[in-house]
Amino acid sequence: MLRASHIPPVATPALSALKISLIPALSLSSSLPHLYKLSTFAPLHNFLPKTAPPNSSPISFKRFLPMLGHHPCPKASFSSGSGTGGGRELLVQHLLVKEDDLKLLLELQQRISGGGEDLSDLAVEYSLCPSKEEGGMLGWVRKGQMVPEFEEAAFSAPLNKVVRCKTKFGWHLLQVLSEREESLLGEIQADELHVKIQDPTFAKEAQLIDVREPDEVAKASLPGFEVLPLRQFGSWGPEVTTKFDPEKETYVMCHHGMRSLQVAKWLQSQGFKRVFNVSGGIHAYAVRADPSIPTY
């Protein structure tokens, strides 16, 4: 039986070894909205600035987020009003042994199927993958992130059934624990947001989050945005899925669009289905959409 302690909120570094190649970083320079198909392998603290502003205290996210991989996932074109991605994400755990240890792998598979042992417990003891520290948990994965053999086995495996496959890394036992619709991360331009804000129903139907610090909000703000300062993540982060509805469209804004992108990626990793980063932040909004908003 899988123990809850073996399921981290996001993935471990293990998936980096299964990914096909390094993927270029995201670009925010396009004039059109974009949809980034992301998974949980890039947590919030991986995108935080390396240095903090003067007179600021350091932030530690380790209390809430385990250390993960560092490679963002590819982006795809998006036009406003499009539907969902139509793909699936799988919650996968596995163990890995050497290529010449097939006999061991078969013994472990028998201990699971015939003896009732947990793959997660055996991964801790036998796996060569760094994910063994989390009971072999890889987190949520989607097509295009893994080597073909592992992907084929995972996406064809019945739910909860332990199956084996061979990759260039060795032999794997893998188990799909759950599946969900692929979540999406988009980008919205300042002028597009301005049009939406003119609709009185927008603020009621969407969730608007401003991750700037209180002193910044005092200089310039937009109506309807709830302020969740990034530097206070420790206080609001653990409660975000109860305070906000992951099924509703969520828009995240900061000064220039970088801190908000960090938080948007993290919200997406927490299961928020449709998250939009405000490109260029409130500065772009003031310059391109509404000159009555002060710049700073």
Side-chain angles (χ1 to χ4, degrees), residues 183-202:
S183 52
L184 306 174
L185 177 59
E187 178 184 90
I188 186 170
Q189 299 297 317
D191 54 347
E192 294 176 316
L193 177 63
H194 182 65
V195 172
K196 287 182 175 292
I197 288 179
Q198 308 315 306
D199 182 350
T201 65
F202 174 65

Side-chain angles (χ1 to χ4, degrees), residues 114-247:
E117 296 191 53
D118 292 343
L119 187 152
S120 53
D121 291 332
L122 296 178
V124 172
E125 185 174 356
Y126 293 99
S127 183
L128 301 177
C129 180
S131 65
K132 66 183 296 179
E133 301 300 327
E134 300 291 347
M137 183 60 60
L138 295 179
W140 291 98
V141 301
R142 62 179 178 82
K143 288 188 174 181
Q145 290 182 312
M146 301 166 289
V147 291
E149 300 88 351
F150 193 95
E151 178 179 291
E152 181 180 357
F155 278 86
S156 61
L159 201 63
N160 293 317
K161 181 177 177 62
V162 175
V163 299
R164 65 178 179 267
C165 72
K166 183 181 179 183
T167 70
K168 62 183 179 182
F169 304 106
W171 283 99
H172 305 257
L173 289 180
L174 67 90
Q175 184 177 28
V176 177
L177 302 173
S178 184
E179 65 178 75
R180 69 184 184 188
E181 180 183 339
E182 187 175 8
S183 52
L184 306 174
L185 177 59
E187 178 184 90
I188 186 170
Q189 299 297 317
D191 54 347
E192 294 176 316
L193 177 63
H194 182 65
V195 172
K196 287 182 175 292
I197 288 179
Q198 308 315 306
D199 182 350
T201 65
F202 174 65
K204 297 179 181 179
E205 297 175 351
Q207 300 175 134
L208 310 177
I209 299 175
D210 187 338
V211 298
R212 294 175 301 145
E213 302 305 308
D215 62 319
E216 295 180 271
V217 177
K219 298 174 183 176
S221 63
L222 296 182
F225 277 80
E226 180 163 355
V227 179
L228 298 178
L230 181 55
R231 294 196 170 277
Q232 296 177 25
F233 174 83
S235 62
W236 58 260
E239 302 175 355
V240 72
T241 55
T242 56
K243 190 172 184 179
F244 296 93
D245 184 355
E247 300 294 327

Side-chain angles (χ1 to χ4, degrees), residues 258-271:
M258 296 308 296
R259 283 172 290 173
S260 56
L261 179 59
Q262 299 160 14
V263 174
K265 288 178 178 178
W266 180 76
L267 288 173
Q268 187 270 345
S269 78
Q270 301 305 295

Side-chain angles (χ1 to χ4, degrees), residues 43-116:
L44 180 57
H45 68 88
N46 282 344
F47 298 95
L48 289 173
K50 298 300 182 183
T51 58
N55 304 319
S56 63
S57 57
I59 314 169
S60 175
F61 294 92
K62 293 182 180 179
R63 178 180 174 186
F64 307 104
L65 301 173
M67 188 64 67
L68 313 182
H70 291 74
H71 308 306
C73 299
K75 63 183 181 180
S77 296
F78 173 71
S79 58
S80 299
S82 75
T84 59
R88 288 187 302 151
E89 291 181 332
L90 306 180
L91 183 62
V92 181
Q93 64 178 0
H94 86 133
L95 65 78
L96 170 68
V97 299
K98 294 179 180 178
E99 183 177 356
D100 56 2
D101 278 342
L102 177 58
K103 181 178 179 180
L104 171 62
L105 188 89
L106 295 176
E107 291 176 356
L108 296 178
Q109 189 171 15
Q110 178 59 34
R111 287 170 63 176
I112 296 170
S113 61

